[in-house]
Amino acid sequence: MQEKLKDLKKIAEERIKSVETLDDVEQLRVDLLGKKGELTQILKGMGKLSSEERPVIGKLGNEVRQLITDSVNSKKEAIKASMLDKRLEMEKIDVTMPGKKYKLGKQHIISKMIDEVTEIFMGMGFSIAEGPEVETVSNNFDALNAPKDHPSRDMSDTFYITEDILLRTQTSPVQIRTMKKAVKEDNLPLKIIVPGRCFRSDSPDATHSPMFHQIEVLVVGKNITFTEFKGTMETFVQKLYGPETKTKFRPHNFPFTEPSAEIDVTCFKCGGAGCPVCKGEGWIEILGAGMVHPNVLKNCGIDPEVYSGFAAGMGVERLAMLKYGIDDIRLMFENDVRFLDEF
Ligand code: DAH
């Protein structure tokens, strides 16, 4: 029996060495030391021993049990430690590795330009109005006092959807919509700006795009004179290009304004001395404007004897090209990130 116990101890040591998982160690412990385990089987023979032998074998049995228990426990600890090592190895963070780059988008140059202009006018108490890009011919031309033979009405200049519906060629039709609505809601006077997309049947080149943006300005009220017109536009220009900037109102012709003007500003690059940006002239044309034509007011149900107003319209791409020295309008629509990133 003594031999059996010594053999069991030896075999147990080897078997414990060869197992690799916690489950297997536990199973082995049950096999060796459990109620039906191998040690118990051996010790069952104790009843047949003499009274001298019994305590000796009993002691040896206890020693073997203790030894196996110790080995099992230290094996379990070893397996746990090596599992932890493996996990730490797997979850290790190498702080010297280059990080993942998340590239943030940014505002498009055109949106930025619109925001800049909008902010200036909002600072002067204007609110923002909007209108549809698909417009009626009536709002886009007739109500704006454009004569039937006006060249901009030509099929080759404008995208017609039907005879009466078109893609708006300018943001000016929103003047009509806003004035009619104000009359209906008894909501005059008006001070609005209208940023939006416009369309003309132009072949794309460095200065033309069939789709582009405008910002319309409209003020209608009692006692609105050329003085308010001039003061507002000058304030706008100085906020956009700096307080030194001068304006020049050059006579022009638009169907919907009388008198009409194109507004030039002293070149923000050279201050008026002449440079490539202003093509040596010292002045740059930035927008069209004028006092609202009485016919336009009448077309919206407003009495031109009581009310007057002024209006202006500017091309957003043109403002951006001037401001940032961009020489081709198409760059703004090609969406090459290397270009867009510059602004
Ligand atoms: N709608 C004109 C254009 O597209 C620009 C313009 C000129 C708008 C004078 C106005 C204005 O409101 O008064 O060329």
Side-chain angles (χ1 to χ4, degrees):
M1 217 164 157
Q2 215 161 350
E3 283 309 305
K4 275 188 184 170
L5 284 171
K6 281 184 184 154
D7 283 350
L8 176 66
K9 193 188 126 205
K10 229 162 106 191
I11 291 166
E13 293 293 334
E14 265 152 40
R15 284 171 66 188
I16 290 169
K17 253 187 223 159
S18 69
V19 291
E20 283 172 5
T21 69
L22 285 176
D23 284 349
D24 289 349
V25 184
E26 177 57 18
Q27 184 57 51
L28 188 54
R29 188 191 66 77
V30 172
D31 289 348
L32 295 169
L33 309 176
K35 268 188 197 149
K36 291 177 184 159
E38 290 169 39
L39 180 63
T40 315
Q41 292 302 328
I42 295 170
L43 295 178
K44 264 186 187 163
M46 290 246 298
K48 292 180 192 140
L49 295 177
S50 66
S51 54
E52 288 88 42
E53 276 177 317
R54 211 175 288 151
V56 179
I57 295 297
K59 194 172 166 238
L60 184 60
N62 281 340
E63 276 169 17
V64 170
R65 178 182 295 279
Q66 192 56 51
L67 281 169
I68 294 177
T69 305
D70 289 349
S71 298
V72 163
N73 286 345
S74 52
K75 181 75 185 190
K76 280 184 179 171
E77 291 308 315
I79 291 175
K80 279 186 196 160
S82 101
M83 277 165 63
L84 181 65
D85 279 351
K86 268 190 205 145
R87 237 182 80 192
L88 287 175
E89 182 62 34
M90 261 163 50
E91 294 175 3
K92 194 162 74 176
I93 295 171
D94 181 352
V95 291
T96 64
M97 290 258 285
K100 275 187 201 158
K101 273 191 192 160
Y102 292 97
K103 216 166 158 5
L104 272 186
K106 64 196 283 194
Q107 212 179 12
H108 192 275
I109 176 176
I110 291 176
S111 309
K112 228 168 116 172
M113 200 70 235
I114 290 175
D115 279 2
E116 208 175 311
V117 171
T118 304
E119 209 161 294
I120 295 173
F121 278 101
M122 287 184 47
M124 294 193 278
F126 283 69
S127 48
I128 299 172
E130 280 183 315
E133 291 165 10
V134 179
E135 249 304 358
T136 61
V137 171
S138 163
N139 282 343
N140 194 82
F141 290 127
D142 298 298
L144 284 166
N145 202 37
K148 286 271 185 254
D149 59 352
H150 197 277
S152 65
R153 302 181 69 133
D154 205 276
M155 288 287 288
S156 62
D157 277 354
T158 298
F159 294 114
Y160 284 90
I161 289 168
T162 66
E163 249 178 57
D164 309 316
I165 309 281
L166 44 66
L167 295 185
R168 68 179 178 196
T169 63
Q170 49 191 355
T171 44
S172 307
V174 187
Q175 288 192 27
I176 304 300
R177 289 178 173 271
T178 315
M179 282 191 273
K180 282 189 169 168
K181 188 160 172 257
V183 168
K184 211 162 131 191
E185 293 171 358
D186 198 13
N187 222 359
L188 286 170
L190 274 183
K191 259 172 106 174
I192 55 152
I193 62 162
V194 185
R197 209 169 277 149
C198 306
F199 307 86
R200 288 181 199 177
S201 184
D202 285 327
S203 301
D205 64 22
T207 52
H208 294 86
S209 163
M211 186 280 295
F212 57 98
H213 299 75
Q214 286 190 339
I215 300 174
E216 193 81 11
V217 181
L218 175 69
V219 173
V220 177
K222 288 177 181 162
N223 304 315
I224 303 291
T225 67
F226 208 93
T227 309
E228 278 78 36
F229 172 39
K230 222 173 159 219
T232 305
M233 297 321 288
E234 275 176 3
T235 305
F236 162 64
V237 162
Q238 285 175 359
K239 289 236 160 82
L240 189 65
Y241 292 122
E244 307 300 321
T245 318
K246 294 195 172 59
T247 49
K248 182 162 78 180
F249 286 59
R250 204 164 21 76
H252 201 76
N253 175 53
F254 297 107
F256 33 84
T257 44
E258 182 59 38
S260 302
E262 275 192 331
I263 299 182
D264 298 346
V265 301
T266 44
C267 177
F268 46 82
K269 200 73 187 213
C270 65
C275 74
V277 171
C278 58
K279 302 197 180 83
E281 306 221 330
W283 293 93
I284 296 171
E285 181 247 310
I286 60 155
L287 54 85
M291 300 303 292
V292 180
H293 196 292
N295 286 351
V296 174
L297 294 172
K298 271 191 236 164
N299 290 340
C300 299
I302 297 173
D303 183 353
E305 298 297 328
V306 182
Y307 285 96
S308 54
F310 63 86
M314 60 198 98
V316 179
E317 286 78 3
R318 183 177 162 74
L319 290 182
M321 287 168 84
L322 287 170
K323 173 158 183 176
Y324 297 107
I326 300 163
D327 56 12
D328 195 323
I329 192 172
R330 289 168 293 193
L331 287 166
M332 285 184 272
F333 303 117
E334 281 166 1
N335 287 339
D336 182 333
V337 175
R338 288 167 304 179
F339 169 81
L340 297 176
D341 248 359
E342 286 182 38
F343 309 100

Coordinates of all heavy atoms in Angstrom, one line a residue, residues 5 53 59 63 104 119-120 127 193 213 215 232 241 265 341:
L5 N 0.8 4.2 -2.8 CA 0.7 5.7 -2.4 C 1.9 6.4 -3.1 O 1.7 7.5 -3.6 CB 0.7 5.9 -0.9 CG -0.7 5.6 -0.3 CD1 -0.5 5.6 1.3 CD2 -1.8 6.5 -0.7
E53 N 0.4 -0.7 11.3 CA 0.5 -0.1 10.0 C -0.4 1.1 9.7 O 0.0 2.0 9.1 CB 0.3 -1.2 8.9 CG 1.4 -2.1 8.6 CD 1.1 -3.2 7.6 OE1 0.0 -3.8 7.8 OE2 1.8 -3.4 6.7
K59 N -0.9 8.5 7.8 CA -0.1 9.7 7.8 C 0.5 9.9 6.4 O 0.4 11.0 5.8 CB 1.1 9.5 8.8 CG 1.8 10.8 9.0 CD 2.9 10.6 10.2 CE 3.8 11.8 10.2 NZ 5.2 11.4 10.0
E63 N -0.1 13.0 3.8 CA 1.0 13.7 3.1 C 0.8 13.8 1.6 O 0.9 14.8 1.0 CB 2.3 13.0 3.5 CG 2.9 13.5 4.8 CD 4.0 12.6 5.2 OE1 4.6 11.9 4.3 OE2 4.4 12.6 6.4
L104 N -11.2 66.5 -40.4 CA -12.4 67.3 -40.3 C -12.8 68.0 -41.6 O -11.9 68.6 -42.2 CB -12.2 68.3 -39.2 CG -12.6 67.9 -37.7 CD1 -12.4 69.1 -36.8 CD2 -14.0 67.3 -37.7
E119 N -23.9 88.1 -42.5 CA -23.7 88.6 -41.1 C -23.6 90.1 -41.1 O -24.2 90.8 -40.2 CB -22.3 88.0 -40.6 CG -22.3 87.9 -39.1 CD -21.2 86.9 -38.7 OE1 -21.3 85.7 -39.0 OE2 -20.2 87.4 -38.1
I120 N -23.0 90.7 -42.1 CA -22.9 92.2 -42.2 C -24.3 92.8 -42.3 O -24.7 93.7 -41.6 CB -22.1 92.6 -43.4 CG1 -20.6 92.2 -43.2 CG2 -22.2 94.1 -43.6 CD1 -19.7 92.4 -44.4
S127 N -33.3 90.7 -42.4 CA -33.5 89.3 -42.2 C -33.4 88.6 -43.5 O -33.3 89.2 -44.6 CB -34.9 89.1 -41.5 OG -35.9 89.8 -42.3
I193 N -32.4 90.1 -47.1 CA -31.4 89.7 -48.1 C -31.8 88.3 -48.5 O -32.4 87.5 -47.7 CB -29.9 89.7 -47.6 CG1 -29.7 88.9 -46.4 CG2 -29.5 91.2 -47.3 CD1 -28.3 88.6 -46.2
H213 N -24.2 81.5 -57.6 CA -25.0 82.0 -56.4 C -25.1 83.6 -56.4 O -24.1 84.2 -56.9 CB -24.3 81.6 -55.1 CG -24.3 80.1 -55.0 ND1 -23.4 79.3 -55.6 CD2 -25.0 79.3 -54.2 CE1 -23.6 78.1 -55.3 NE2 -24.6 78.0 -54.4
I215 N -26.6 87.0 -54.0 CA -27.3 87.5 -52.8 C -28.0 88.8 -53.2 O -27.5 89.7 -53.7 CB -26.3 87.9 -51.7 CG1 -25.5 86.6 -51.3 CG2 -27.0 88.4 -50.4 CD1 -24.4 86.8 -50.3
T232 N -26.4 102.6 -46.9 CA -26.4 101.2 -46.6 C -25.4 100.5 -47.4 O -24.6 99.7 -46.8 CB -27.8 100.6 -46.9 OG1 -28.8 101.4 -46.2 CG2 -27.9 99.1 -46.5
Y241 N -14.8 95.1 -47.0 CA -13.4 95.3 -47.5 C -12.6 96.2 -46.6 O -11.4 96.5 -47.0 CB -13.5 95.9 -48.9 CG -14.0 94.9 -49.9 CD1 -15.2 95.2 -50.7 CD2 -13.4 93.7 -50.1 CE1 -15.7 94.3 -51.6 CE2 -13.9 92.8 -51.1 CZ -15.0 93.1 -51.8 OH -15.5 92.2 -52.7
V265 N -15.9 99.5 -56.1 CA -15.2 99.8 -54.9 C -13.7 100.0 -55.2 O -13.2 99.4 -56.1 CB -15.4 98.7 -53.8 CG1 -16.8 98.5 -53.5 CG2 -14.7 97.4 -54.3
D341 N -9.3 73.3 -49.3 CA -8.6 73.3 -48.1 C -7.9 74.7 -47.8 O -7.5 75.0 -46.7 CB -7.5 72.2 -48.0 CG -7.9 71.2 -46.9 OD1 -8.9 71.4 -46.3 OD2 -7.1 70.3 -46.8

